[in-house]
């Protein structure tokens, strides 16, 4: 009997200790959870306030652009618009819900900032053109509507009629806050937001989408893929077909995957692992150039190469009349075990003439270089802007500070600097 009483007493002691431990653990985790919720709520509120502030600054900057006349003031206002648009997009992306459905609002902020970024250089001399001022006016109207909605939403949020969303997953009807959510209100406004008309400018979001210029039939696409691999068409296994004008088709042969469109082969890749390097760089480069020649690509210039251990990555640029088209490239990766092409794609390659002009000679273009810059080499290059505009340039290369290599491209048509790039010193 005494042993049984002692056993029950020990069980009770352990049970009480377990209960106290569980209570202490629950209390500690509850404190941590409360602190986490407070931190998350503060971060969410700060992101929303920054969104309101940035859109308000964007609206004001756009409105100021309607009254700017001289080039310096126009360029300054464009800088303000670009900064405010970038800040608004970043702040909105930090809100505690997925903003991928807010594509119209995000597109408005990105396109407005990109438009101002492009105008900043164009208007520095003589100010805005009439059509540019009209475009800024339309953007200003949309920004005013956007900021008015956000200000009203902030009042509802502070008044408790709207609650901030949370990334925390809770049980249904447990801890739910009253009122609608911020995300729901933004989605409602997104559905009714009237996006401005498409802007025509030489920038990333002003680029006109070009339709595919291919003409290959289904059988010719299959034959092109087979010819690239040096196999028979029957050996290729169809894996996927894309809808649309491009009519892209994907095939598999062994470890190789190919995508072909109406214009020819788009990409090639292998899935196998390359365990060891047998070939040297010269042999791999020869294999890559033989592959490109077999694929029908000529007049190429090797821009850069990098050794990834068991593979060699090469970047070729197209040339036109001796000028290197720096933004018209073909990347090729060669496996160093057997010399096969490990990857290849034509995303940044364009056929056809560039249409550039060379009105200035080398000496005249060199007048745009800064004082104190000593260049030791020059070459003719072709640049393509974010909006797809081509320009012929002289690229002057020389040493810079810290051992860096400085490359300054001067437009051969107007004598203005087109691009400046820095290349880090080799270690």
């Amino acid at each position: 009997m005494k042993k049984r009483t002692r056993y029950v007493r020990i069980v009770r002691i352990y049970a009480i200790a377990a209960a106290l431990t569980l209570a202490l653990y629950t209390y500690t985790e509850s404190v941590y959870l409360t602190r986490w919720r407070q931190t998350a709520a503060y971060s969410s509120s700060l992101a929303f306030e920054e969104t309101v502030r940035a859109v308000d600054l964007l609206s004001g900057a756009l409105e100021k652009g309607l009254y700017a006349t001289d080039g310096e003031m126009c360029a300054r206002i464009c800088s303000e618009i670009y900064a405010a648009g970038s800040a608004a997009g970043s702040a909105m992306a930090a809100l505690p819900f997925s903003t991928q459905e807010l594509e119209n609002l995000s597109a408005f902020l990105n396109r407005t900032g990109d438009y101002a970024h492009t105008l900043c250089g164009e208007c520095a001399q003589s100010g805005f053109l009439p059509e540019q001022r009209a475009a800024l006016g339309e953007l200003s109207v949309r920004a005013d509507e956007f900021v008015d909605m956000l200000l009203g939403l902030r009042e509802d949020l502070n008044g408790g009629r709207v609650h901030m969303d949370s990334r925390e997953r809770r049980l249904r009807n447990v801890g739910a806050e009253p009122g609608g959510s911020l995300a729901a209100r933004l989605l409602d406004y997104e559905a009714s937001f009237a996006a401005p008309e498409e802007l025509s400018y030489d920038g990333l979001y002003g680029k006109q989408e070009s339709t595919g210029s291919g003409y290959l039939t289904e059988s010719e696409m299959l034959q092109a893929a087979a010819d690239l691999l040096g196999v028979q068409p029957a050996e290729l296994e169809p894996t996927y077909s894309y809808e649309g004008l491009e009519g892209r088709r994907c095939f598999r042969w062994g470890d190789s995957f190919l995508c072909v469109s109406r214009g020819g082969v788009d990409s090639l890749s292998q899935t196998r692992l390359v365990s060891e390097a047998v070939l040297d760089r010269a042999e791999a480069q020869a294999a890559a150039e033989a592959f490109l020649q077999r694929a029908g690509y000529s007049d190429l210039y090797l821009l850069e190469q990098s050794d990834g251990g068991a593979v060699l990555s090469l970047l070729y640029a197209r040339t036109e009349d001796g000028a290197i088209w720096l933004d018209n490239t073909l990347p090729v990766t060669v496996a160093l075990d057997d010399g096969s092409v490990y990857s290849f794609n034509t995303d940044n390659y364009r056929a056809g003439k560039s249409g550039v002009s060379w009105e200035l000679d080398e000496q005249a273009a060199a007048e745009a270089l800064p004082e104190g810059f000593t260049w030791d080499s020059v070459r003719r290059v072709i640049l393509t802007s974010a909006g797809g505009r081509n320009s012929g340039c002289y690229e002057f290369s020389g040493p810079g500070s810290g051992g860096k290599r400085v490359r300054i491209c001067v437009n051969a048509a107007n004598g203005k600097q087109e691009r400046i790039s820095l290349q880090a010193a080799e270690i």
Side-chain angles (χ1 to χ4, degrees), residues 355-421:
V356 301
S357 60
W358 307 87
E359 301 177 10
L360 301 179
D361 57 17
E362 179 182 311
Q363 289 73 21
E367 296 180 2
L369 300 177
E371 293 185 13
F373 177 72
T374 304
W375 53 276
D376 50 30
S377 65
V378 60
R379 61 183 181 180
R380 293 197 309 161
V381 298
I382 300 173
L383 303 181
T384 302
S385 66
R389 181 185 302 172
N390 301 321
S391 57
C393 300
Y394 292 100
E395 183 190 68
F396 298 90
S397 178
S401 60
K404 296 180 180 178
R405 194 73 179 171
V406 182
R407 303 183 187 275
I408 303 177
C409 295
V410 180
N411 194 304
N414 54 31
K416 296 181 179 180
Q417 292 185 355
E418 192 76 21
R419 181 183 298 177
I420 299 176
S421 59

Side-chain angles (χ1 to χ4, degrees), residues 222-294:
L222 178 60
Q223 186 64 51
D227 291 342
L228 192 70
L229 292 174
V231 299
Q232 295 299 320
E235 299 181 57
L236 298 181
E237 175 189 353
T239 58
Y240 198 79
S241 298
Y242 291 83
E243 299 293 336
L245 297 176
E246 290 290 331
R248 182 173 296 177
R249 302 290 183 263
C250 295
F251 303 96
R252 176 179 179 177
W253 181 74
D255 294 323
S256 299
F257 288 85
L258 293 92
C259 288
V260 189
S261 64
R262 300 297 179 183
V265 177
D266 292 335
S267 64
L268 166 66
S269 62
Q270 294 188 37
T271 58
R272 68 184 182 90
L273 296 178
V274 183
S275 58
E276 60 178 347
V278 177
L279 306 178
D280 57 22
R281 285 196 173 194
E283 293 172 322
Q285 181 178 341
E289 293 174 357
F291 166 81
L292 291 172
Q293 185 176 7
R294 186 171 66 250

Side-chain angles (χ1 to χ4, degrees), residues 318-382:
R318 183 186 163 196
T319 62
E320 180 182 282
D321 299 329
I324 305 172
W325 200 333
L326 296 178
D327 303 310
N328 195 347
T329 56
L330 285 169
V332 183
T333 303
V334 180
L336 296 180
D337 56 353
D338 61 359
S340 62
V341 174
Y342 196 74
S343 66
F344 162 76
N345 74 74
T346 62
D347 289 343
N348 294 324
Y349 182 83
R350 294 173 300 280
K353 292 291 185 179
S354 64
V356 301
S357 60
W358 307 87
E359 301 177 10
L360 301 179
D361 57 17
E362 179 182 311
Q363 289 73 21
E367 296 180 2
L369 300 177
E371 293 185 13
F373 177 72
T374 304
W375 53 276
D376 50 30
S377 65
V378 60
R379 61 183 181 180
R380 293 197 309 161
V381 298
I382 300 173

Side-chain angles (χ1 to χ4, degrees), residues 10 46 69 78 109 129 155 164 213 225 237 287 312 351 362 368 372:
I10 293 176
L46 180 60
T69 55
C78 283
L109 297 175
L129 298 176
E155 292 182 1
M164 180 66 69
S213 57
E237 175 189 353
L312 178 67
E362 179 182 311

Side-chain angles (χ1 to χ4, degrees), residues 61 64-65 67-81 120 123-128:
K64 287 190 291 185
Y67 306 99
T69 55
D70 62 272
E72 293 183 1
M73 178 57 69
C74 291
R76 184 185 305 173
I77 290 177
C78 283
S79 300
E80 295 179 10
I81 296 173
C120 192
C123 69
Q125 293 294 331
S126 57
F128 297 131

